[in-house]
Amino acid sequence: MSDGTETQPTPTYRRVMLKISGEALMGDQGFGLHPPTVERIAKEVKKCHDLGVEICMVIGGGNIFRGLQGSAQGMERTTADYMGMLATVMNALGMQSALEAQGVHSRVITAIRMDEVAEPYIRRRAVRHLEKKRVCIFAAGTGNPYFTTDTAATLRANEMNCEAIFKGTKVDGVYDKDPVKFDDAVRYEDITYDDVLQKHLGVMDASAIALARDNDLPIIVFSLDEPGGFETILAGDGTYTIVHG
């Protein structure tokens, strides 16, 4: 007989990287930050944090500025990429504010020094924050142009000794083709790094997939739009695709 108390899921990972796109923060707007959406994601992160999971985050900047699109419109690529990095800092600060409103201590850590608004990236200090159960939000990519936030997330996940990368998207896994456009798209339960690269499935860019493969770091792709999705997937339940060796 149930005593009416809700059983908390048991997470299968102790330290993880959550990678989300900047577009995930704009809700149904076409641009910028949508505060209710940012708050909803912060609540999802809090649920997992409350289970004792140490959480790193990397957020893209495509809701504000995307370097590749800027360079395609005639802007010099390096300048466009640096503008994109600054956009990720804005998103990181927005997420930090939402997390701390939920009572979750966090740190924004940037690959480009801007000491008045965030900490510079120092690996040992970042690890210490995680050990103290602070959420670490890594911003400004790798600090270098020509690298995406996918690559930055994989790099930081390796440096922080994360056990997996959780990539939150608008769909519940990796499909053989776009499920929004094709009704007969088939979802993979699991797939290898090499198959992702060979089939050009667009889970992450090739550099990120190769870096994850070389360090045997699994990538779990799930829907960020599914309420409670992150917490459920952390416990090994729900619908997702795992990319592994």
Side-chain angles (χ1 to χ4, degrees):
M1 184 175 177
S2 174
D3 61 1
T5 59
E6 187 176 332
T7 303
Q8 284 191 317
T10 302
T12 54
Y13 298 95
R14 184 182 60 84
R15 180 180 292 174
V16 301
M17 167 64 73
L18 175 62
K19 167 62 171 71
I20 60 178
S21 67
E23 286 89 345
L25 302 185
M26 66 187 186
D28 54 5
Q29 300 176 154
F31 182 83
L33 289 162
H34 182 237
T37 300
V38 179
E39 181 184 11
R40 177 181 63 80
I41 294 172
K43 286 179 177 177
E44 295 275 327
V45 173
K46 174 180 166 54
K47 286 179 186 176
C48 299
H49 181 266
D50 288 348
L51 296 176
V53 179
E54 296 173 2
I55 300 171
C56 306
M57 294 183 72
V58 167
I59 306 169
N63 57 319
I64 299 171
F65 188 87
R66 186 178 291 279
L68 264 177
Q69 289 179 353
S71 65
Q73 294 172 10
M75 186 177 292
E76 195 269 325
R77 173 65 189 269
T78 302
T79 299
D81 279 357
Y82 278 121
M83 291 173 69
M85 291 180 216
L86 295 177
T88 71
V89 177
M90 295 172 70
N91 284 338
L93 291 171
M95 180 56 65
Q96 180 184 42
S97 178
L99 284 170
E100 299 203 332
Q102 300 295 325
V104 178
H105 295 296
S106 62
R107 294 290 186 274
V108 173
I109 301 170
T110 59
I112 299 171
R113 292 192 74 101
M114 46 187 81
D115 296 348
E116 287 75 14
V117 296
E119 290 185 10
Y121 176 67
I122 300 170
R123 190 184 71 83
R124 288 181 179 273
R125 181 187 291 176
V127 168
R128 187 67 182 130
H129 287 319
L130 291 173
E131 291 170 349
K132 290 183 176 181
K133 306 304 179 187
R134 297 166 182 155
V135 173
C136 288
I137 310 170
F138 297 104
T142 66
N144 301 288
Y146 295 94
F147 289 92
T148 67
T149 50
D150 281 343
T151 302
T154 311
L155 173 65
R156 296 292 183 241
N158 280 306
E159 290 179 305
M160 295 296 106
N161 294 316
C162 291
E163 296 166 353
I165 298 174
F166 284 73
K167 177 151 187 186
T169 68
K170 292 188 176 296
V171 293
D172 58 0
V174 180
Y175 286 77
D176 61 348
K177 49 191 167 184
D178 189 343
V180 176
K181 297 178 181 176
F182 301 97
D183 292 336
D184 60 344
V186 177
R187 185 178 60 81
Y188 298 99
E189 291 286 337
D190 63 277
I191 190 168
T192 67
Y193 305 111
D194 288 338
D195 280 346
V196 168
L197 292 171
Q198 289 165 10
K199 295 177 181 179
H200 304 286
L201 293 176
V203 176
M204 288 179 155
D205 68 79
S207 297
I209 295 292
L211 185 57
R213 178 192 62 194
D214 293 348
N215 294 277
D216 199 24
L217 181 67
I219 302 166
I220 295 161
V221 183
F222 70 103
S223 172
L224 199 64
D225 292 338
E226 187 71 28
F230 186 28
E231 182 183 19
T232 302
I233 305 300
L234 263 177
D237 297 322
T239 304
Y240 59 90
T241 299
I242 182 165
V243 184
H244 57 86

Short mmCIF file of all heavy atoms in Angstrom, two decimals, residues 68-98:
data_model
loop_
_atom_site.label_atom_id
_atom_site.label_comp_id
_atom_site.label_asym_id
_atom_site.label_seq_id
_atom_site.Cartn_x
_atom_site.Cartn_y
_atom_site.Cartn_z
N LEU A 68 28.05 31.68 -37.99
CA LEU A 68 28.05 31.17 -39.37
C LEU A 68 27.12 31.97 -40.26
O LEU A 68 27.45 32.29 -41.39
CB LEU A 68 27.64 29.69 -39.38
CG LEU A 68 28.78 28.68 -39.40
CD1 LEU A 68 28.23 27.26 -39.33
CD2 LEU A 68 29.63 28.85 -40.65
N GLN A 69 25.93 32.32 -39.74
CA GLN A 69 24.99 33.09 -40.54
C GLN A 69 25.53 34.49 -40.79
O GLN A 69 25.36 35.04 -41.87
CB GLN A 69 23.63 33.16 -39.84
CG GLN A 69 22.88 31.82 -39.85
CD GLN A 69 21.55 31.90 -39.12
OE1 GLN A 69 21.23 32.91 -38.50
NE2 GLN A 69 20.79 30.82 -39.19
N GLY A 70 26.19 35.04 -39.78
CA GLY A 70 26.78 36.36 -39.95
C GLY A 70 27.84 36.37 -41.03
O GLY A 70 27.89 37.27 -41.88
N SER A 71 28.69 35.34 -41.03
CA SER A 71 29.75 35.28 -42.04
C SER A 71 29.17 35.01 -43.42
O SER A 71 29.71 35.49 -44.43
CB SER A 71 30.78 34.20 -41.67
OG SER A 71 30.22 32.91 -41.71
N ALA A 72 28.07 34.28 -43.48
CA ALA A 72 27.43 34.01 -44.76
C ALA A 72 26.86 35.28 -45.37
O ALA A 72 26.69 35.38 -46.59
CB ALA A 72 26.32 32.98 -44.59
N GLN A 73 26.58 36.27 -44.53
CA GLN A 73 26.04 37.54 -45.02
C GLN A 73 27.13 38.58 -45.26
O GLN A 73 26.85 39.77 -45.38
CB GLN A 73 25.00 38.07 -44.02
CG GLN A 73 23.76 37.17 -43.92
CD GLN A 73 22.83 37.58 -42.79
OE1 GLN A 73 22.99 38.64 -42.20
NE2 GLN A 73 21.86 36.74 -42.50
N GLY A 74 28.36 38.12 -45.29
CA GLY A 74 29.45 39.02 -45.67
C GLY A 74 30.31 39.50 -44.52
O GLY A 74 31.32 40.16 -44.74
N MET A 75 29.95 39.17 -43.29
CA MET A 75 30.77 39.57 -42.15
C MET A 75 31.99 38.66 -42.07
O MET A 75 31.92 37.48 -42.36
CB MET A 75 29.94 39.46 -40.87
CG MET A 75 30.64 39.98 -39.63
SD MET A 75 29.56 39.91 -38.18
CE MET A 75 28.34 41.16 -38.60
N GLU A 76 33.11 39.22 -41.66
CA GLU A 76 34.33 38.42 -41.52
C GLU A 76 34.10 37.34 -40.47
O GLU A 76 33.57 37.60 -39.39
CB GLU A 76 35.48 39.35 -41.12
CG GLU A 76 36.86 38.75 -41.29
CD GLU A 76 37.32 38.04 -40.03
OE1 GLU A 76 36.98 38.53 -38.93
OE2 GLU A 76 37.98 37.00 -40.15
N ARG A 77 34.47 36.08 -40.79
CA ARG A 77 34.08 34.92 -39.98
C ARG A 77 34.56 35.01 -38.53
O ARG A 77 33.81 34.71 -37.60
CB ARG A 77 34.62 33.64 -40.62
CG ARG A 77 34.45 32.35 -39.82
CD ARG A 77 32.99 31.95 -39.61
NE ARG A 77 32.87 30.85 -38.67
CZ ARG A 77 32.87 29.56 -38.99
NH1 ARG A 77 33.02 29.20 -40.26
NH2 ARG A 77 32.73 28.63 -38.08
N THR A 78 35.80 35.43 -38.32
CA THR A 78 36.32 35.48 -36.95
C THR A 78 35.52 36.46 -36.09
O THR A 78 35.13 36.15 -34.96
CB THR A 78 37.80 35.87 -36.96
OG1 THR A 78 38.53 34.92 -37.74
CG2 THR A 78 38.37 35.89 -35.56
N THR A 79 35.24 37.64 -36.66
CA THR A 79 34.44 38.63 -35.94
C THR A 79 33.04 38.09 -35.64
O THR A 79 32.53 38.24 -34.52
CB THR A 79 34.32 39.92 -36.78
OG1 THR A 79 35.63 40.45 -36.99
CG2 THR A 79 33.46 40.96 -36.07
N ALA A 80 32.43 37.45 -36.63
CA ALA A 80 31.09 36.88 -36.44
C ALA A 80 31.08 35.83 -35.34
O ALA A 80 30.17 35.78 -34.51
CB ALA A 80 30.58 36.30 -37.76
N ASP A 81 32.12 35.00 -35.31
CA ASP A 81 32.18 33.95 -34.27
C ASP A 81 32.35 34.55 -32.88
O ASP A 81 31.75 34.07 -31.91
CB ASP A 81 33.32 32.98 -34.57
CG ASP A 81 32.93 31.93 -35.60
OD1 ASP A 81 31.77 31.93 -36.03
OD2 ASP A 81 33.78 31.10 -35.96
N TYR A 82 33.16 35.60 -32.77
CA TYR A 82 33.31 36.24 -31.46
C TYR A 82 31.99 36.87 -31.00
O TYR A 82 31.65 36.82 -29.81
CB TYR A 82 34.42 37.29 -31.48
CG TYR A 82 35.80 36.70 -31.30
CD1 TYR A 82 36.79 36.86 -32.27
CD2 TYR A 82 36.12 35.96 -30.17
CE1 TYR A 82 38.06 36.30 -32.12
CE2 TYR A 82 37.37 35.40 -29.99
CZ TYR A 82 38.34 35.57 -30.97
OH TYR A 82 39.58 35.00 -30.81
N MET A 83 31.24 37.43 -31.94
CA MET A 83 29.92 37.97 -31.58
C MET A 83 29.00 36.85 -31.09
O MET A 83 28.25 37.02 -30.12
CB MET A 83 29.31 38.69 -32.78
CG MET A 83 30.03 39.97 -33.15
SD MET A 83 29.41 40.71 -34.68
CE MET A 83 27.79 41.24 -34.17
N GLY A 84 29.08 35.69 -31.74
CA GLY A 84 28.31 34.53 -31.29
C GLY A 84 28.70 34.10 -29.89
O GLY A 84 27.85 33.72 -29.08
N MET A 85 30.00 34.15 -29.59
CA MET A 85 30.46 33.79 -28.24
C MET A 85 29.87 34.73 -27.19
O MET A 85 29.46 34.30 -26.10
CB MET A 85 31.99 33.85 -28.17
CG MET A 85 32.71 32.78 -28.95
SD MET A 85 34.50 32.98 -28.78
CE MET A 85 35.04 32.48 -30.42
N LEU A 86 29.81 36.02 -27.51
CA LEU A 86 29.23 36.98 -26.57
C LEU A 86 27.75 36.70 -26.35
O LEU A 86 27.23 36.88 -25.24
CB LEU A 86 29.46 38.40 -27.07
CG LEU A 86 30.93 38.85 -27.15
CD1 LEU A 86 31.02 40.26 -27.71
CD2 LEU A 86 31.59 38.79 -25.78
N ALA A 87 27.07 36.25 -27.40
CA ALA A 87 25.65 35.88 -27.26
C ALA A 87 25.48 34.74 -26.26
O ALA A 87 24.53 34.73 -25.47
CB ALA A 87 25.07 35.49 -28.63
N THR A 88 26.41 33.78 -26.27
CA THR A 88 26.31 32.67 -25.31
C THR A 88 26.48 33.15 -23.87
O THR A 88 25.90 32.58 -22.95
CB THR A 88 27.33 31.56 -25.59
OG1 THR A 88 28.66 31.99 -25.26
CG2 THR A 88 27.29 31.10 -27.05
N VAL A 89 27.26 34.20 -23.68
CA VAL A 89 27.44 34.75 -22.33
C VAL A 89 26.12 35.36 -21.84
O VAL A 89 25.72 35.18 -20.69
CB VAL A 89 28.57 35.80 -22.30
CG1 VAL A 89 28.69 36.42 -20.91
CG2 VAL A 89 29.90 35.17 -22.71
N MET A 90 25.43 36.07 -22.73
CA MET A 90 24.13 36.64 -22.36
C MET A 90 23.16 35.54 -21.95
O MET A 90 22.45 35.66 -20.93
CB MET A 90 23.58 37.46 -23.53
CG MET A 90 24.41 38.67 -23.87
SD MET A 90 23.87 39.50 -25.39
CE MET A 90 22.32 40.19 -24.85
N ASN A 91 23.12 34.46 -22.72
CA ASN A 91 22.23 33.34 -22.38
C ASN A 91 22.63 32.69 -21.05
O ASN A 91 21.77 32.32 -20.24
CB ASN A 91 22.26 32.29 -23.49
CG ASN A 91 21.45 32.71 -24.70
OD1 ASN A 91 20.57 33.55 -24.61
ND2 ASN A 91 21.75 32.13 -25.85
N ALA A 92 23.94 32.55 -20.83
CA ALA A 92 24.42 31.94 -19.59
C ALA A 92 24.02 32.78 -18.38
O ALA A 92 23.60 32.24 -17.35
CB ALA A 92 25.94 31.76 -19.65
N LEU A 93 24.13 34.10 -18.50
CA LEU A 93 23.74 34.97 -17.38
C LEU A 93 22.24 34.89 -17.12
O LEU A 93 21.79 34.90 -15.97
CB LEU A 93 24.16 36.42 -17.69
CG LEU A 93 25.68 36.68 -17.69
CD1 LEU A 93 25.97 38.08 -18.22
CD2 LEU A 93 26.27 36.50 -16.30
N GLY A 94 21.45 34.79 -18.21
CA GLY A 94 20.01 34.63 -18.05
C GLY A 94 19.66 33.33 -17.33
O GLY A 94 18.80 33.30 -16.45
N MET A 95 20.36 32.25 -17.70
CA MET A 95 20.11 30.96 -17.06
C MET A 95 20.57 30.98 -15.60
O MET A 95 19.90 30.43 -14.72
CB MET A 95 20.84 29.85 -17.83
CG MET A 95 20.65 28.44 -17.25
SD MET A 95 18.90 27.95 -17.12
CE MET A 95 18.43 27.90 -18.85
N GLN A 96 21.71 31.62 -15.33
CA GLN A 96 22.18 31.74 -13.96
C GLN A 96 21.14 32.44 -13.08
O GLN A 96 20.83 32.00 -11.97
CB GLN A 96 23.50 32.51 -13.91
CG GLN A 96 24.05 32.66 -12.50
CD GLN A 96 25.30 33.52 -12.45
OE1 GLN A 96 25.40 34.56 -13.12
NE2 GLN A 96 26.29 33.09 -11.69
N SER A 97 20.58 33.53 -13.60
CA SER A 97 19.56 34.27 -12.84
C SER A 97 18.35 33.39 -12.56
O SER A 97 17.82 33.38 -11.43
CB SER A 97 19.14 35.51 -13.64
OG SER A 97 18.12 36.22 -12.97
N ALA A 98 17.93 32.61 -13.56
CA ALA A 98 16.77 31.73 -13.38
C ALA A 98 17.06 30.62 -12.38
O ALA A 98 16.21 30.26 -11.56
CB ALA A 98 16.35 31.14 -14.72
#
